[in-house]
RNA sequence: GCCCCGGUGGCGAAAUCGGUAGACGCAACGGACUUAAAAUCCGUCGGCUGCAAGGCUGUGCCGGUUCGAGUCCGGCCCGGGGCACCA
């Protein structure tokens, strides 16, 4: 949003500054910034070397989808990464800071459908636009390593490793129930279904039976869980989310033998999975999933079962259905024997709340100690028998009412387990079941295999052919990449690749007979699971240049949104481990350090008709204490919606370009990093840019000022030197601690100090030399201009980070507040590091303190070195 | 329902080891400069109270630990995020 009054007259041409001399042109970023970007490009200073004596540092931000326009959320994200990249480079690291494009996906298809453009051309245009915008931000990126996932040179290598994983058995095809998005007309992974709706379209997801491609991420479930422990530079929150997602549980897989007249398919009894084998004597029924194979057999024979299953399938995933969550059951009339007492039989039900794809798809119900089972038992009049006694309860009177008892306690009513604590009873039950040959201890994960196929035209083709004679055959590596055709028809929903008139037709690589190509493409999360490997050498013949990868991996610092905590980060970890086991790289984990930055949010605006509006089209006013919004062009009333993450779909995006046009790129970078800590969400306002702009001008004014030659005052010189070293320490520590907002605050302070020291001399020179380098990660163009003005050799971008002298960074004298009984009553001055005795002496000799202590008896004096004094007196 | 994370001036926030609460910035107000405005510079800026020095109070609420609590502990309220028939 253009700031008031700045469009007609630009701030840097509006008049001379009055500091130190009559007329001085103000710092003009429009002229300065492009010049330094050219200088960096000419010197190629941001190119990383795959062979180097320096220690390596690999820093990257999550690559963007090329939507066509950069917004301030991107700016903030990439500015953060650039601060780290420039800081580490200055500290002597060989820094790899690459960029690329997550370029497959639906928006290109939507654009093709709406405007009849070619998705490849549309995407390429967007990439070109956004690359220019990114380059304008002055990011220290190594553009020689750029990758785009829609480039055959990239996805062809992806097909190559995909086939290797297939041959290894990590990829397989299976018929199963899938989540079908009826709007996008594609299959979604479980992770991509949120509240029963497609993560992208928001449409209610249906369940369909289809043959699908999967990756065996569950083979790695245990390692993915265990090695989370090695990720000490990941946020705990993300590790916790992944841990919950993997959902490891230990329990018992146990078979209930069928009782009496075993029905067809039912001879082997029913196998259930439980994490509560200690409650087996509280069992009251068995429940099968509506999708259980036995249910299907029963449904084939009995129409009432089929009707019941149909009822369960209807909805089931819809939001409303989940919320009401009514338990539904059907009594099959069949029964099984209790494994621990074969004379005891239990009825077999089919229940809607039993999931087929978790455990065995069948459970035993223990209503007293499981809320779902209790709800079910109450509804259908099944017995409720408690077997875990709460610590203070009386076995004679303890009853379970409306709430199941799920806490710990002592087992009773349970024969050989009586008297045991819950954990001991679980072990005893597992032993017993194993002894009987009816069960074994089992570990089960919530994590499911990853469904990777999408019925989309704009994605990486799955490189296989279907031959009537040979079945599913891999395309030979020499024939890769399997490229997308030109001229796909996106005017109708569905898979444009499938509809293409000729692309499908091919020859079987094995028998040479006629065959068809697979028309499913890979989930775009496959594309983003290895791009950090490809950056290392995007021209390599092999998908991954192993030698270079062994040097660079793992990524030292990855920066991105918390919204990828589970999906992208889990897939990328899995693919890394799979490729490692294929011998393609050596790293166990892709990202040693992870930082999840906050989102940039903005209010949303819509027309009465529901159409989204951009913030720039809307004028906000205050009428009667209420904020009102009107369409700038027509005055039409506009609905102010929620504050949400900036996204193209809701059109609540603010471009950094306007801000950069008016104030320059450096001010824009400072603005997005100021004021709020990087991990916090921020609601966008342009207010901070004025402060950033002033900082730029004030920094420049120090370099541009004519030197004031005055005799150096030794005391003032020391004071300035102390301020310099204190600033170096503070900024360094703040960057290392990811407190960029604090680092910028310290720059403001340091500039404030410099204004008070216009004299020349070495101390000022030292200060200015340090300041340029401290400013450099945040406002790199300004830093170069200052550096050049100082006459320093070379580029500031390649200068060493300033070192501080720890002695100078500490004050030699401290002001210590003095409290009496915890209330501040004065302060004293003491040498830094003064002993308790020395400080106490000064305190007691202070007349003001003495006055405060009149009539009181000092009981105790607490001296915290260099910080505070507290006198306890009565 | 369960699991996380937050709540500090008019606003964004700082205080990261239990030790001066509000650094730094924005806005506002007062002043300087200017024919004037903008820009720039200097200053004030949690609340109550006082002529002043100062005093009292204050980090969502209630209680606790401590010489000392924004920070630690217990209970609650509010906001945000994640998971949600996972047996």
């Amino acid at each position: 949003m253009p700031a008031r009054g700045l469009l007609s007259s630009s701030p840097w041409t509006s008049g001379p500054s009055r500091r130190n001399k009559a007329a001085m042109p103000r710092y003009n970023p429009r002229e300065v910034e492009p010049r330094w970007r050219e200088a960096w490009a000419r010197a190629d200073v941001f190119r990383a070397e795959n062979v180097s004596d320096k220690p390596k540092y690999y820093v990257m931000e999550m690559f963007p989808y090329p939507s066509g326009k950069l917004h301030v959320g991107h700016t903030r994200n990439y500015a953060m990464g650039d601060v780290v990249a420039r800081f580490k480079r200055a500290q002597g690291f060989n820094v790899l800071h690459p960029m690329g494009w997550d370029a497959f996906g639906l928006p290109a298809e939507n654009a093709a459908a709406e405007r009849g453009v070619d998705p490849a051309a549309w995407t390429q245009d967007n990439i070109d636009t956004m690359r220019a915008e990114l380059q304008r931000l002055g990011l220290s990126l190594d553009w020689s390593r750029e990758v785009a996932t829609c480039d055959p040179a990239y996805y062809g290598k992806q097909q190559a490793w995909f086939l290797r994983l297939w041959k290894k058995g990590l990829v397989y095809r299976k018929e199963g129930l899938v989540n079908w998005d009826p709007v996008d007309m594609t299959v979604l992974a479980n992770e991509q279904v949120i509240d029963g709706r497609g993560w992208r379209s928001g449409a209610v997801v249906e369940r369909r039976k289809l043959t699908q491609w999967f990756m065996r991420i569950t083979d790695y479930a245990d390692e993915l869980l265990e090695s989370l422990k090695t990720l000490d530079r990941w946020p705990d929150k993300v590790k916790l989310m992944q841990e919950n997602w993997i959902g490891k549980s230990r329990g018992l897989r146990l078979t209930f033998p069928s009782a009496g007249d075993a029905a067809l398919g039912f001879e082997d009894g029913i196998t259930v999975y439980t994490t509560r084998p200690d409650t087996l004597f509280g069992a009251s029924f068995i429940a099968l999933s509506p999708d259980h194979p036995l249910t299907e057999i029963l449904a084939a024979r009995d129409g009432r079962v089929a009707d019941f299953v149909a009822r369960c399938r209807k909805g089931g995933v819809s939001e409303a259905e989940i919320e009401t969550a009514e338990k539904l059951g059907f009594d099959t009339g069949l029964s099984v024997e209790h494994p621990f007492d074969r004379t005891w039989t239990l009825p077999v039900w089919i229940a809607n709340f039993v999931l087929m794809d978790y455990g065995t798809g069948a459970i035993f119900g223990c209503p007293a100690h499981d809320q779902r089972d209790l709800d079910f038992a109450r509804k259908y009049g099944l017995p409720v028998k408690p077997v875990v006694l709460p610590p203070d309860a009386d076995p004679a009177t303890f009853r379970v009412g409306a709430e199941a008892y799920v806490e710990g306690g002592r087992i009773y009513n349970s024969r050989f387990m009586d008297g045991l604590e819950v954990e001991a009873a679980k072990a005893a039950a597992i032993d017993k079941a194993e002894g009987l040959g009816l069960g074994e201890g089992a570990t089960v994960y919530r994590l499911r295999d990853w469904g990777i196929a999408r019925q989309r035209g704009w994605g990486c083709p799955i490189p296989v052919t279907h031959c009537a004679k040979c079945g599913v055959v891999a395309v030979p590596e020499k024939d890769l990449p399997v490229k997308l055709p030109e001229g796909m028809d996106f005017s109708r929903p569905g898979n444009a690749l499938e509809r293409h008139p000729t692309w499908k037709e091919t020859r079987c690589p094995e028998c040479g007979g006629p065959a068809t190509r697979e028309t499913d493409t890979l989930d775009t999360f496959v594309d983003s699971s290895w791009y950090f490997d490809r950056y290392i050498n995007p021209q390599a013949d092999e998908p991954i240049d192993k030698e270079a990868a062994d040097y660079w991996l793992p990524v030292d610092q990855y920066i991105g949104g918390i919204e990828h905590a589970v999906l992208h980060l889990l897939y990328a970890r899995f693919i890394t481990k799979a490729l490692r086991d294929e011998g393609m790289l050596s790293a166990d984990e892709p990202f040693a350090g992870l930082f999840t930055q906050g989102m940039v949010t903005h209010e949303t605006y819509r027309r009465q008709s529901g159409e989204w509006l951009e913030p720039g089209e809307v004028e906000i006013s205050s009428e009667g204490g209420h904020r009102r919004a009107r369409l700038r062009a027509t005055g039409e009333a506009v609905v102010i919606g929620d504050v949400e993450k900036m996204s193209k779909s809701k059109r609540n995006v603010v471009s950094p370009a306007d801000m950069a046009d008016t104030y320059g790129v450096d001010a824009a970078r400072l603005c997005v990093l100021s004021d709020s800590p990087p991990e916090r969400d921020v609601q966008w306002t342009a207010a901070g840019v004025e402060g950033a702009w002033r900082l730029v001008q004030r920094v420049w004014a120090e370099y541009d000022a004519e030197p004031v030659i005055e005799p150096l005052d030794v005391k003032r010189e020391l004071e300035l030197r102390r301020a310099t070293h204190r600033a170096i320490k503070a900024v360094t520590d703040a960057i290392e601690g990811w407190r960029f907002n604090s680092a910028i605050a310290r720059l403001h302070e340091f500039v404030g100090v410099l204004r008070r020291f216009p004299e020349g001399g070495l101390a000022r020179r030292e200060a200015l030399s340090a300041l340029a380098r401290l400013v450099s990660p945040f406002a790199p163009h300004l830093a170069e201009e200052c550096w050049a003005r100082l006459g320093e050799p070379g580029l500031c971008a390649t200068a060493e980070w300033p070192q501080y002298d720890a002695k100078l960074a500490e004050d030699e004298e401290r002001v210590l507040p003095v409290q009496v009984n915890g209330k501040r009553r004065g302060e004293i001055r003491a040498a830094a590091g003064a002993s308790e005795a020395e400080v106490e002496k000064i305190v007691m000799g202070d007349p003001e303190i003495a006055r405060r202590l009149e009539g009181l008896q000092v009981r105790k004096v607490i001296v915290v070195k260099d910080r505070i004094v507290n006198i306890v007196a009565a």
Side-chain angles (χ1 to χ4, degrees), chain A residues 429-637:
Chain A
I430 292 170
D431 277 353
K432 175 89 169 180
E434 286 177 346
L436 291 168
L438 288 171
E440 69 277 319
T443 300
V444 165
Y445 299 88
R446 203 188 82 107
L447 183 70
R448 315 279 153 78
D449 274 343
W450 175 17
I452 48 167
R454 298 291 179 272
Q455 290 68 49
R456 307 286 0 150
W458 186 236
C460 169
I462 293 177
V464 303
T465 52
H466 299 269
C467 169
K469 218 160 79 192
C470 311
V472 184
V473 182
V475 173
E477 204 162 326
K478 67 173 171 54
D479 295 335
L480 297 180
V482 174
K483 285 193 199 175
L484 290 171
E486 286 178 12
M488 281 187 278
D489 169 21
F490 289 96
S491 63
R492 288 177 288 143
N495 186 352
L497 202 49
E498 172 76 36
R499 281 201 298 272
H500 190 274
T502 57
W503 183 80
K504 259 198 298 197
E505 309 309 324
T506 185
R507 294 255 149 212
C508 172
E510 267 173 27
C511 69
T516 57
R517 292 192 188 281
E518 171 66 58
T519 59
D520 280 359
T521 53
L522 291 172
D523 183 358
T524 56
F525 280 115
V526 178
D527 308 341
S528 57
S529 290
W530 75 292
Y531 71 110
F532 42 90
D533 300 325
R534 191 67 188 167
Y535 279 149
I536 288 165
N537 182 351
Q539 282 83 40
D541 286 336
E542 280 288 299
I544 299 167
D545 176 342
K546 183 161 189 291
E547 196 183 332
D550 285 351
Y551 170 69
W552 283 114
L553 293 177
V555 174
D556 296 279
Q557 187 64 60
Y558 195 33
I559 301 160
I562 186 75
E563 67 272 24
H564 292 112
V566 176
L567 305 175
H568 163 58
L569 290 169
L570 190 65
Y571 296 146
R573 294 181 61 222
F574 158 59
I575 292 296
T576 298
K577 290 170 192 296
L579 296 180
R580 173 202 62 195
D581 292 345
E582 188 56 29
M584 296 173 69
L585 48 82
S586 306
D588 291 319
E589 285 286 342
F591 314 117
L594 174 70
F595 186 87
T596 51
Q597 97 279 9
M599 298 182 298
V600 178
T601 61
H602 199 282
E603 268 179 343
T604 51
Y605 308 102
R606 349 180 46 153
R607 277 211 161 96
Q608 305 289 345
S609 56
E611 193 186 326
W612 298 102
L613 294 165
E614 284 180 17
E617 301 175 285
V618 176
E619 187 147 36
I620 307 286
S621 61
S622 187
E623 292 171 28
H626 286 280
R627 293 177 71 243
R628 288 278 171 78
R630 306 199 164 275
L631 196 59
R632 211 178 275 278
T634 63
E636 175 191 332

Side-chain angles (χ1 to χ4, degrees), chain A residues 798-862:
Chain A
T798 57
E800 259 182 57
W801 193 248
Q803 301 287 312
Y804 62 86
D805 178 331
K807 272 204 226 95
L808 283 172
E810 296 291 323
D811 284 314
E812 58 183 3
E813 194 182 60
R814 299 298 181 102
V815 174
L816 305 188
V818 180
Q819 298 179 331
V820 175
N821 291 331
K823 288 191 192 272
R824 191 175 177 283
R825 290 298 183 223
E827 57 187 36
I828 56 143
R829 288 170 174 280
S835 72
E836 289 190 23
E838 288 171 284
V839 170
E840 196 171 332
K841 203 173 139 207
I842 299 167
V843 170
M844 292 313 176
D846 187 283
E848 176 63 19
I849 305 297
R851 197 176 65 76
R852 292 286 180 181
L853 291 173
E854 259 169 46
L856 295 175
Q857 186 164 10
V858 175
R859 302 233 186 267
K860 198 172 168 188
V861 178
I862 293 148

